[in-house]
């Protein structure tokens, strides 16, 4: 999309992956007939008035899915498309339109495998594109503002939704329906984007800038499963996974487990026994919490789903599959 003075404008790639931001609902108000990922990313760009004055946009449809169904194959496609784009000297950044459900996992994955530098900004919407007061066009506009902003350089992968700019390590979906569904927890957002432009109010802490890990070349990626600690958690799920893996029923076999512990990462004593058996069998076990990110430790500031992403990449880098 070109504007009259496009020579001076930054270049931003907009990659579509689906989600509610590209969704439609045929009935109102109960959103009957809802379908995620129905529209093409070029239609989303066309529905955001004035966006062409922010940047020279190149829109590409990379996938069309409800992000609950996100998979490693799409993550690979994203990383392989974004890295060479950002390496071009005349481009400013990249925006990804994404479903809200697994946005934080994709954001953190990209944070781990892409070089820090030019902004990569994920955005989403909580209302389909056809809804009254659809939030997608505003969120896409703000995401492009951030991707085109020199202030965003060096802040890692970002999420822009409802006027807030979140860092990939902090951000989590914290509400099932509200338009401000995303939160950075106690740390708060990195900044804001809106009609006033882009304003960063804090920097990312050093611990939130993970050591880069290589993009796994071979599929499938190592299997890392999530297990939860709760009242009466007795380890049956862990032992069933170990047995299935030992029988050869799991492809790839079980390589890692991430525990969604209680509170500060504590685990039911009966589940702990099974986890110890898993470690003895050569499975890597990492500990998180079911109430959010833990502070300190090897996965400082990460919630369990992001620890799972990190552990999977670590195991792949170590040659596991
Ligand atoms: N299920 C949708 C998705 O994650 C929800 C959304 O986009 O808000 O793709």
């Amino acid at each position: 999309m070109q504007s009259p003075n496009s020579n001076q404008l930054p270049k931003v790639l907009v990659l579509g992956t689906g989600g509610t931001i590209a969704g439609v609902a045929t009935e109102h108000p109960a959103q009957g007939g809802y379908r995620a990922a129905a529209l093409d990313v070029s239609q989303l760009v066309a529905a955001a008035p004035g966006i062409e004055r922010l940047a020279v946009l190149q829109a590409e449809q990379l996938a069309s899915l409800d992000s609950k169904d996100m998979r490693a194959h799409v993550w690979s496609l994203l990383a392989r498309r974004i890295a060479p784009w950002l390496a071009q000297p005349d481009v400013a950044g990249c925006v990804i339109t994404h479903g809200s459900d697994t946005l934080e996992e994709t954001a953190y994955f990209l944070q781990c495998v892409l070089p820090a530098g030019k902004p990569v900004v994920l955005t989403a919407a909580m209302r389909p594109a056809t809804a009254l007061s659809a939030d997608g066009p505003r969120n896409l506009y703000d995401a492009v503002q951030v991707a085109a902003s020199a202030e965003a350089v060096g802040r890692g992968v970002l999420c822009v939704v409802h006027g807030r700019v979140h860092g990939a390590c902090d951000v989590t979906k914290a509400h099932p329906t509200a338009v401000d569904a995303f939160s950075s927890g106690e740390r708060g957002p990195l900044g804001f984007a809106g009609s006033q432009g882009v304003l960063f109010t804090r920097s990312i802490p050093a611990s939130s800038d993970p050591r880069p890990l290589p993009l796994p070349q071979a599929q499938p990626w190592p299997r890392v499963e999530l297990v939860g600690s709760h009242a009466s958690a007795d380890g049956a799920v862990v032992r069933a996974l170990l047995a299935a893996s030992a029988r050869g029923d799991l492809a790839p076999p079980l390589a890692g487990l991430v525990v969604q512990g209680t509170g500060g990462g504590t685990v039911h004593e009966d589940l702990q026994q099974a986890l110890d058996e898993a470690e003895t069998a050569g499975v890597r076990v990492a500990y998180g919490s079911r109430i959010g990110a833990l502070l300190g430790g090897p996965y400082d500031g990460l919630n369990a789903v992001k620890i799972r992403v990190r552990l999977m990449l670590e195991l792949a880098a170590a040659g596991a599959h």
Side-chain angles (χ1 to χ4, degrees):
M1 182 173 285
Q2 303 279 310
S3 84
N5 59 349
S6 58
N7 284 345
Q8 288 96 52
L9 289 176
K11 278 170 73 174
V12 172
L13 176 65
V14 185
L15 293 175
T17 68
T20 293
I21 191 168
V24 293
T26 52
E27 293 164 30
H28 179 75
Q31 294 186 0
Y34 165 72
R35 232 172 1 113
L39 303 181
D40 187 88
V41 67
S42 58
Q43 293 172 278
L44 308 188
V45 169
I51 202 169
E52 71 283 355
R53 289 196 287 274
L54 299 173
V56 176
L57 299 175
Q58 183 169 321
E60 295 176 17
Q61 194 69 34
L62 197 116
S64 291
L65 43 76
D66 185 318
S67 81
K68 72 181 175 58
D69 302 323
M70 185 51 66
R71 35 183 60 100
H73 167 67
V74 179
W75 283 356
S76 269
L77 286 177
L78 280 170
R80 288 183 207 284
R81 180 66 189 102
I82 295 168
W85 169 264
L86 295 182
Q88 298 175 65
D90 63 335
V91 310
C94 175
V95 167
I96 303 165
T97 58
H98 199 286
S100 62
D101 287 340
T102 56
L103 182 148
E104 67 203 74
E105 294 174 57
T106 302
Y108 182 70
F109 160 73
L110 292 172
Q111 170 96 354
C112 289
V113 300
L114 291 176
K118 294 177 184 174
V120 174
V121 183
L122 286 86
T123 191
M126 296 302 291
R127 296 176 182 151
T130 52
L132 280 181
S133 298
D135 50 335
R138 176 85 232 186
N139 288 343
L140 179 56
Y141 184 97
D142 288 342
V144 171
Q145 286 203 83
V146 174
S149 161
E151 294 297 306
V153 173
R155 294 180 193 266
V157 175
L158 301 169
C159 159
V160 174
V161 170
H162 199 61
R164 298 188 179 109
V165 186
H166 302 277
C169 294
D170 298 333
V171 71
T172 193
K173 185 174 178 181
H175 196 284
T177 54
V179 287
D180 59 344
F182 287 87
S183 167
S184 288
E186 296 292 321
R187 284 177 167 165
L190 297 179
F192 302 89
S195 44
Q196 79 285 3
V198 179
L199 177 68
F200 283 93
T201 49
R202 76 172 173 88
S203 50
I204 45 169
S207 64
S208 292
D209 196 3
R211 189 170 45 88
L213 284 164
L215 177 68
Q217 296 303 309
Q219 298 270 356
W221 295 359
R223 177 185 297 277
V224 178
E225 298 287 349
L226 279 174
V227 292
S229 190
H230 48 80
S232 306
D234 64 359
V237 171
V238 172
R239 292 194 181 94
L241 281 167
L242 285 173
S245 193
R247 281 195 307 270
D249 288 351
L250 295 182
L254 186 67
L257 287 167
V258 175
V259 189
Q260 289 183 297
T262 35
T266 50
V267 176
H268 194 295
E269 57 187 354
D270 297 341
L271 172 60
Q272 187 64 60
Q273 273 188 24
L275 293 169
D276 293 344
E277 289 162 29
E279 282 208 279
T280 304
V283 174
R284 277 272 301 276
V285 180
Y287 293 87
S289 172
R290 68 188 200 184
I291 62 169
L294 291 179
L295 296 182
Y299 299 105
D300 180 33
L302 298 180
N303 64 17
V305 293
K306 293 180 197 173
I307 294 174
R308 180 182 166 276
V309 172
R310 181 95 195 158
L311 183 54
M312 196 166 54
L313 292 172
E314 287 173 350
L315 286 165
H321 39 253

